[in-house]
């Protein structure tokens, strides 16, 4: 399965993944929303900055994925803190994710910069920061 993942441009997530100082991505919510239960080892992630540029700039393979059960706020904070060395989150990002009831931690490998390309988002009515696309070719704009 291929996924398009929007990264925090302000926090330089893409640069940190490419440099290797960040090896894990986090997503969280009050309920089970994407990518909870939908991403697993050997899936491919295609990264795009959330700065309206609209180009996929890098890809990575999912090394492992952890999908939490419902957690208390304290458990959620502890999970984020424990994984902070791999997550490399800014204070603002910690405030955003820590405390969520459901958290997904995705460890990545083989992060590579690729020739930038645009995607067709017309099939996705509600634009989220995570799009499971099945095959990347199905949304690539030529």
């Amino acid at each position: 399965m291929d996924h398009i993942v929007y990264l925090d441009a302000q926090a330089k997530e893409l640069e940190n993944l490419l440099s290797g100082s960040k090896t894990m991505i986090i997503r969280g919510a009050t309920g089970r929303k994407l990518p909870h239960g939908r991403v697993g080892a050997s899936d491919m992630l295609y990264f795009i900055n959330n700065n309206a540029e609209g180009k996929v700039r890098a890809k990575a393979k999912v090394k492992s994925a952890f999908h939490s059960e419902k957690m208390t706020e304290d458990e959620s904070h502890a999970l984020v803190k424990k994984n902070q060395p791999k997550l490399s989150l800014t204070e603002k990002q910690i405030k955003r994710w820590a405390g969520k009831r459901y958290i997904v931690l995705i460890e990545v490998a083989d992060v590579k910069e690729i020739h930038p390309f645009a995607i067709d988002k017309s099939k996705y009515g509600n634009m989220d920061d995570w799009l499971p696309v099945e095959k990347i070719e199905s949304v690539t704009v030529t």
Side-chain angles (χ1 to χ4, degrees):
M1 169 79 96
D2 293 340
H3 306 265
I4 293 172
V5 181
Y6 283 79
L7 298 174
D8 187 335
Q10 228 178 357
K12 301 196 178 312
E13 276 192 296
L14 180 57
E15 292 87 337
N16 292 339
L17 283 164
L18 287 166
S19 75
S21 64
K22 177 182 185 69
T23 58
M24 186 178 273
I25 299 165
I26 186 171
R27 288 298 183 268
T30 308
R32 291 177 188 222
K33 69 179 263 233
L34 283 172
H36 201 284
R38 296 283 303 274
V39 63
S42 79
D43 283 3
M44 288 300 295
L45 307 181
Y46 291 84
F47 300 121
I48 191 166
N49 275 320
N50 66 352
N51 59 3
E53 170 192 73
K55 299 256 189 210
V56 172
R57 300 208 154 269
K59 70 178 184 176
K61 189 174 208 154
V62 175
K63 186 174 172 181
S64 66
F66 167 78
H67 306 268
S68 79
E69 293 300 319
K70 191 174 183 177
M71 294 183 289
T72 66
E73 198 169 326
D74 288 344
E75 289 169 330
S76 179
H77 278 277
L79 182 65
V80 171
K81 187 177 180 180
K82 179 180 150 199
N83 288 282
Q84 175 62 354
K86 292 178 182 180
L87 289 165
S88 213
L89 300 174
T90 63
E91 281 302 314
K92 189 176 173 186
Q93 289 176 305
I94 290 171
K95 280 188 180 86
R96 178 180 181 188
W97 300 117
K100 299 288 186 195
R101 275 187 252 174
Y102 293 93
I103 286 183
V104 181
L105 298 172
I106 302 108
E107 195 164 6
V108 296
D110 304 325
V111 182
K112 292 181 181 75
E113 208 162 348
I114 57 175
H115 184 73
F117 62 89
I119 56 165
D120 173 13
K121 299 175 285 215
S122 62
K123 295 184 189 104
Y124 299 90
N126 114 359
M127 273 310 291
D128 208 345
D129 63 355
W130 193 284
L131 304 175
V133 296
E134 204 70 43
K135 289 268 170 236
I136 193 67
E137 296 80 15
S138 68
V139 293
T140 304
V141 176
T142 50

